[in-house]
Amino acid sequence: MDKTLKEFIPNERGTVKKVTAEGKIKRRLFDMGVTPGAEIIMRKAAPLGDPIEITLRGYELSLRRDEAAAVLMEV
Amino acid sequence: MKFALAGNPNSGKTTLFNALTGSTAHVGNWPGVTVDKKDGYYKKLSEKVQIVDLPGIYSLSPYTPEEVISRNYILEEMPDAIINIVDATNLERNLYLTTQLLEIDVPVIVALNMMDALERNGDSIDIERLEKKIGVPVVLISALKGKGIKELMERAYAAASVARKGYSVLQNSKIKDMYAEILSLYNESDNAVFHTVKMLEADELEIAANPSIAERAAIIKSTIDNEEYDNDYEGIVADARYKYITEHYSKALKRSKSHTGDSRSDKIDKVLTHRFWGIPIFLLIMLAVFHFTFSENLLMLAYLIPEGSFDILIIGTDAINSPGVMLFNLIDLGTSSLGEAVAAALSSSPEWVSSLVVDGLLGGLFAVLSFIPQIMVLFFFLSLLEDSGYMARVAFIMDRAFRRFGLSGKAFLPLLMCFGCAVPGIMATRTLENEKERRMAIMLTPFMSCGAKMPIWATFAGIMFAGAFAEVIVFGVYLLGIVVAILSAMLLKKTALRGETPPFIMELPTYHLPQLKNTGIHLWEKLKHYVIRAATVIAGAVVIIWALSTFSFGFRMVEPSDSMLGQIGRVLSWLFVPIGFGQGGSGWQFVVAAITGLIAKEMVVATMGVFSGMDGDAVLDAGAEDLQGSNLANMINGISAPAAFSFMAFNLLSIPCMAAVAAAKGELKSAKKLMAALGFWMGAAYLVSALIYWIGTYWWISLILVGLIGLMIGISKIVKYNKLKLAKIKANI
């Protein structure tokens, strides 16, 4: 089943299928290791609900839900 | 010999740089941008080696100033070697930058840092295997403990003497044919591999630099269809890099067990970014930082200490001062005794000479110096939090609240610091990546009421309404500042600083104990620029103000009211009539006080004290009760309450002080942008003050106006609604 990273709930795991963002944001996601095939674990949301914290490639990354919506995941 | 130091943020790069260069380090700015430029010398080789610390980066993309600086520096200056520091606990992402550095025709040496942290988890890295795969020397170091530094430098020195050709992981990727074709276009020129990869990625800087090759490369790219990626070569290249890293390099990493349990960092994070406790804990930490910097009643001990039990110089009276205040007192003691000594030495010289030296020159210099201790203490605590990894969490926690104003969570800290002092606040805006966000944050800084404005609020609140509403008034001032800041942010976001909201994709680094030595080492470097700039600007301004308020236009020493400043104040006072405090017999005095406030806000109350025949320092030292019935109280009560509120608002929102202007000039790097900021501050101050005065004075007319406008809007809505209804009915017919 496919869904975006935005819809992930804490502790859910998945693999990146595609990054649909544009320009600078897309490049930034790629540079931080959010590339197809990367395994991601959603950790938690910030106290105000946004941004979210994920674990990938052995480190912690935070991004906004808007940006997470551009990461298509395979669960 | 010149070596460049490159690596990811949080990889221990600063620590390594300090270990290499020690006290020879010099901090400045890269030309044209406010990104730290650090360089120093390593002297333990047969030849002195210059070490240039490049900004911490994740990639060599063309999108952030740090990345562009790093890449231009390497390509244009061609250092003799690049030392690439790699965090062993975060190998994959760190090596991503390494694959890019390897594409440049410069010898590269990998410094593998934080192995102890990796080994603590029971993991290990096969160094020999990694070295063989990467093809350049890999040296194990501990930047923190200074281990492996000598070997690193010796091997880097040896590597620097052998020319190296760039190598790209794309040579073995699925787009290797296309890569080879574009590479041939560059015809063995310098850094051909690097340029080829950038051209493949359709990098905007590369296309602009080589338009003719770009055309031919576009043709080559159009012949092959990479559907899987929608022909997105930036994605293909990034993917190829990570694939290569996981296939070839990551195998050198041996994990002892599957990491299912929470690490120490995860456990700390569970508390500090907790759904409910995250924000309260953050507020408590910030409160503690400000308490230790500005409080004159450390840990609220005054409630335990009986009154009159002790009065120790510097430490405090019936209470213990915070370290910040103690340092402040210490400097104050030194400067005031120095001032007195100089005054005594000049007692036989003409009056104007001692006045110029003691009140003008030294007074101005000491005013600048007095800021330093608390700024330093504040910076120190905040760098500790930064170093520990907590500041990234602050941005994480606060981002949601700040986004609707066009700011990100990272802007919270600089703005918070401005409640202490605008100068470090403005300097801290350089941590914001986005240039528009940085400008926006700087433009909001004066609206956070700083420590130097407190005496104004205390004096006015203590005198107005006989001090009955003191707390309400002071609280109201702070609230007004915040409201104006929010409204300004919303306005700026829609007008001058319009643009897409900057993205928030940020690493949350592993927590670790802050290193005192590292935090302290560049504290003075950071402040030095401010001190020099402020000393020249403020001291100059103070001397001018002193001269203007001491001499008449006939260059005779006179009372302030007859001085040039007094005369100018009278002339300018009509400008302040519309905002309520320019009229009346003492109107010009308020005007002059407000103008001196543009130099430094401490001067506002002092100036008013001088005009009412009281010693400026005495006014600052006096409690609110002592002021009741004084000349100053008569002066303030002489204008209407709305005019007094307008005066306070003007001081709150206008140019905070010359030190802040100097800091803003340093960060904005453009006279035009600085003028825009100054204009914005003065405009906001004038407008809000006018609103307060007019609504306060004619509140009943205002109420009628608001009612009328409301009524008109209501009527127009009803009319519109009826018209729509009519149209619908007609349509139905």
Side-chain angles (χ1 to χ4, degrees):
Chain A
M1 194 187 75
D2 291 350
K3 57 175 169 179
T4 68
L5 183 58
K6 184 187 176 182
E7 296 153 60
F8 268 43
I9 54 164
N11 295 321
E12 195 172 347
R13 284 164 183 267
T15 313
V16 178
K17 199 175 171 191
K18 196 173 176 179
V19 177
T20 55
E22 288 295 319
K24 202 171 169 172
I25 296 175
K26 178 190 67 182
R27 179 59 189 259
R28 185 84 171 155
L29 286 169
F30 283 148
D31 285 345
M32 299 308 281
V34 186
T35 57
E39 246 186 77
I40 289 181
I41 309 169
M42 153 84 175
R43 302 300 297 234
K44 63 161 141 295
L48 297 173
D50 197 14
I52 59 166
E53 180 182 339
I54 60 171
T55 298
L56 86 155
R57 299 187 188 277
Y59 81 100
E60 259 69 47
L61 182 71
S62 82
L63 69 168
R64 289 185 183 146
R65 287 187 189 272
D66 282 353
E67 287 133 17
V71 181
L72 203 61
M73 303 289 295
E74 211 174 308
V75 190
Chain B
M1 274 272 165
K2 195 159 63 182
F3 292 176
L5 191 57
N8 282 190
N10 309 307
S11 59
K13 203 162 59 67
T14 308
T15 317
L16 175 61
F17 177 75
N18 290 343
L20 288 173
T21 59
S23 58
T24 67
H26 173 82
V27 183
N29 270 326
W30 293 91
V33 278
T34 47
V35 175
D36 269 353
K37 178 188 204 293
K38 288 189 281 186
D39 61 88
Y41 290 92
Y42 181 78
K43 294 174 179 165
K44 287 175 193 156
L45 291 170
S46 53
E47 185 180 345
K48 203 163 89 170
V49 180
Q50 190 190 8
I51 311 280
V52 178
D53 189 21
L54 297 177
I57 48 171
Y58 294 108
S59 167
L60 293 175
S61 87
Y63 296 122
T64 73
E66 286 85 359
E67 290 170 355
V68 176
I69 286 166
S70 300
R71 122 187 202 176
N72 287 349
Y73 179 83
I74 298 171
L75 293 178
E76 284 159 21
E77 305 277 323
M78 281 297 221
D80 297 287
I82 300 171
I83 297 175
N84 175 208
I85 183 161
V86 166
D87 175 0
T89 60
N90 195 345
L91 199 62
E92 280 185 20
R93 210 211 46 226
N94 274 258
L95 287 176
Y96 177 77
L97 177 66
T98 310
T99 63
Q100 300 186 42
L101 295 172
L102 288 174
E103 285 161 1
I104 303 171
D105 294 346
V106 171
V108 176
I109 179 158
V110 172
L112 200 59
N113 193 26
M114 304 202 205
M115 270 300 276
D116 33 0
L118 185 88
E119 279 161 359
R120 214 177 301 133
N121 294 339
D123 301 342
S124 67
I125 291 176
D126 184 343
I127 309 285
E128 275 170 37
R129 182 169 174 176
L130 190 63
E131 189 171 280
K132 219 163 120 195
K133 286 286 179 191
I134 295 182
V136 298
V138 176
V139 182
L140 202 63
I141 64 157
S142 169
L144 201 58
K145 292 174 188 150
K147 273 192 214 156
I149 307 273
K150 195 162 168 273
E151 194 202 340
L152 173 74
M153 290 307 286
E154 278 166 3
R155 289 190 69 180
Y157 191 69
S161 58
V162 186
R164 187 183 154 276
K165 273 277 160 213
Y167 164 83
S168 173
V169 300
L170 295 178
Q171 272 165 241
N172 301 307
S173 70
K174 60 183 175 190
I175 52 165
K176 57 175 182 264
D177 299 335
M178 188 187 290
Y179 165 82
E181 267 190 77
I182 297 178
L183 183 63
S184 67
L185 297 181
Y186 279 97
N187 218 356
E188 305 271 311
S189 60
D190 282 350
N191 297 312
V193 172
F194 176 83
H195 291 296
T196 301
V197 177
K198 291 293 142 198
M199 192 54 87
L200 248 172
E201 288 178 322
D203 179 293
E204 53 196 51
L205 299 177
E206 184 65 29
I207 291 175
N210 293 305
S212 62
I213 296 181
E215 270 173 41
R216 288 154 72 188
I219 295 167
I220 296 172
K221 277 159 82 173
S222 66
T223 58
I224 305 165
D225 198 21
N226 273 293
E227 246 179 41
E228 196 189 336
Y229 283 94
D230 303 334
N231 289 311
D232 169 13
Y233 286 92
E234 251 183 330
I236 296 170
V237 172
D239 190 39
R241 290 190 200 284
Y242 273 113
K243 282 227 169 76
Y244 192 88
I245 291 165
T246 41
E247 272 166 32
H248 295 90
Y249 303 158
S250 300
K251 295 218 168 99
L253 175 68
K254 293 270 176 297
R255 293 202 187 272
S256 67
K257 52 180 187 229
S258 55
H259 289 267
T260 43
D262 282 350
S263 69
R264 191 182 58 171
S265 202
D266 291 336
K267 281 176 196 149
I268 300 173
D269 232 9
K270 279 213 164 119
V271 180
L272 293 183
T273 59
H274 187 270
R275 240 200 134 83
F276 304 115
W277 302 118
I279 292 177
I281 289 174
F282 160 66
L283 293 176
L284 264 179
I285 292 176
M286 284 302 131
L287 197 68
V289 166
F290 275 75
H291 184 75
F292 278 102
T293 311
F294 296 105
S295 173
E296 295 183 4
N297 181 7
L298 195 67
L299 303 174
M300 305 294 157
L301 287 174
Y303 297 112
L304 301 175
I305 300 167
E307 210 172 303
S309 56
F310 72 92
D311 183 359
I312 307 170
L313 206 66
I314 294 166
I315 310 262
T317 308
D318 296 336
I320 312 263
N321 286 326
S322 61
V325 174
M326 281 192 210
L327 271 173
F328 174 84
N329 288 345
L330 192 69
I331 300 264
D332 191 49
L333 188 72
T335 53
S336 56
S337 24
L338 188 65
E340 277 164 27
V342 173
L346 291 175
S347 57
S348 55
S349 53
E351 196 191 343
W352 71 269
V353 174
S354 77
S355 179
L356 169 67
V357 174
V358 178
D359 299 336
L361 219 57
L362 289 181
L365 265 175
F366 294 165
V368 178
L369 274 178
S370 70
F371 278 112
I372 308 288
Q374 280 166 320
I375 293 179
M376 255 175 105
V377 173
L378 192 62
F379 257 42
F380 178 75
F381 283 128
L382 294 173
S383 335
L384 282 187
L385 290 179
E386 175 95 59
D387 203 19
S388 69
Y390 183 63
M391 275 311 167
R393 270 75 183 184
V394 172
F396 177 68
I397 291 173
M398 298 308 297
D399 182 66
R400 184 73 195 82
F402 269 60
R403 195 183 342 158
R404 68 181 66 199
F405 311 125
L407 295 163
S408 76
K410 292 179 197 171
F412 185 82
L413 181 76
L415 290 176
L416 186 80
M417 287 168 89
C418 292
F419 283 112
C421 175
V423 173
I426 291 172
M427 281 157 66
T429 57
R430 64 172 57 180
T431 55
L432 304 175
E433 283 169 37
N434 184 285
E435 198 248 330
K436 272 194 183 134
E437 189 184 4
R438 194 181 301 156
R439 266 186 81 185
M440 166 103 85
I442 291 174
M443 287 173 103
L444 302 182
T445 46
F447 305 157
M448 312 294 141
S449 174
C450 77
K453 293 174 188 168
M454 196 60 205
I456 311 176
W457 319 147
T459 306
F460 272 72
I463 288 170
M464 289 170 70
F465 312 112
F469 302 105
E471 280 85 10
V472 183
I473 292 174
V474 174
F475 182 73
V477 170
Y478 277 80
L479 198 66
L480 176 72
I482 294 169
V483 169
V484 171
I486 291 174
L487 292 177
S488 304
M490 292 188 347
L491 180 80
L492 286 170
K493 189 190 163 197
K494 292 234 160 68
T495 55
L497 300 178
R498 195 170 34 213
E500 56 185 276
T501 314
F504 185 82
I505 303 169
M506 193 183 65
E507 180 186 3
L508 296 176
T510 317
Y511 286 102
H512 61 86
L513 276 176
Q515 302 302 318
L516 282 181
K517 194 177 130 204
N518 262 321
T519 307
I521 207 164
H522 289 305
L523 209 57
W524 171 241
E525 280 290 339
K526 269 186 185 162
L527 278 170
K528 201 167 75 183
H529 294 275
Y530 158 70
V531 175
I532 294 168
R533 212 161 38 210
T536 45
V537 175
I538 298 192
V542 169
V543 169
I544 291 168
I545 286 287
W546 166 83
L548 289 176
S549 62
T550 308
F551 294 104
S552 68
F553 279 107
F555 289 105
R556 284 205 341 270
M557 277 185 92
V558 290
E559 285 298 302
S561 59
D562 299 321
S563 68
M564 284 186 263
L565 195 63
Q567 305 291 342
I568 293 168
R570 283 198 182 84
V571 173
L572 285 180
S573 58
W574 63 270
L575 269 174
F576 295 83
V577 171
I579 64 174
F581 58 83
Q583 55 270 68
S586 62
W588 67 273
Q589 299 176 337
F590 285 99
V591 171
V592 172
I595 292 173
T596 56
L598 305 182
I599 315 277
K601 286 288 177 277
E602 290 90 341
M603 292 171 71
V604 174
V605 174
T607 308
M608 292 176 66
V610 170
F611 286 142
S612 53
M614 297 167 77
D615 180 44
D617 286 336
V619 175
L620 288 175
D621 288 340
E625 308 89 50
D626 308 329
L627 290 174
Q628 295 295 343
S630 69
N631 287 340
L632 183 64
N634 294 336
M635 178 178 163
I636 290 173
N637 286 326
I639 58 172
S640 69
F645 284 133
S646 159
F647 179 77
M648 288 160 78
F650 188 84
N651 280 301
L652 171 70
L653 305 171
S654 59
I655 293 171
C657 63
M658 284 306 133
V661 171
K665 181 167 174 265
E667 297 306 316
L668 288 169
K669 293 263 165 178
S670 144
K672 212 174 117 195
K673 287 176 188 163
L674 180 70
M675 291 324 271
L678 299 186
F680 182 75
W681 295 340
M682 296 312 287
Y686 201 83
L687 187 74
V688 173
S689 298
L691 276 175
I692 288 175
Y693 177 63
W694 286 97
I695 293 176
T697 310
Y698 303 103
W699 56 272
W700 40 276
I701 295 183
S702 310
L703 274 183
I704 293 170
L705 263 175
V706 169
L708 274 177
I709 291 169
L711 202 66
M712 270 155 70
I713 292 174
I715 290 172
S716 72
K717 281 245 162 102
I718 291 169
V719 169
K720 229 186 214 166
Y721 179 73
N722 283 340
K723 266 190 188 161
L724 272 174
K725 230 173 159 184
L726 256 163
K728 260 188 194 164
I729 293 167
K730 267 186 190 164
N732 282 341
I733 293 168

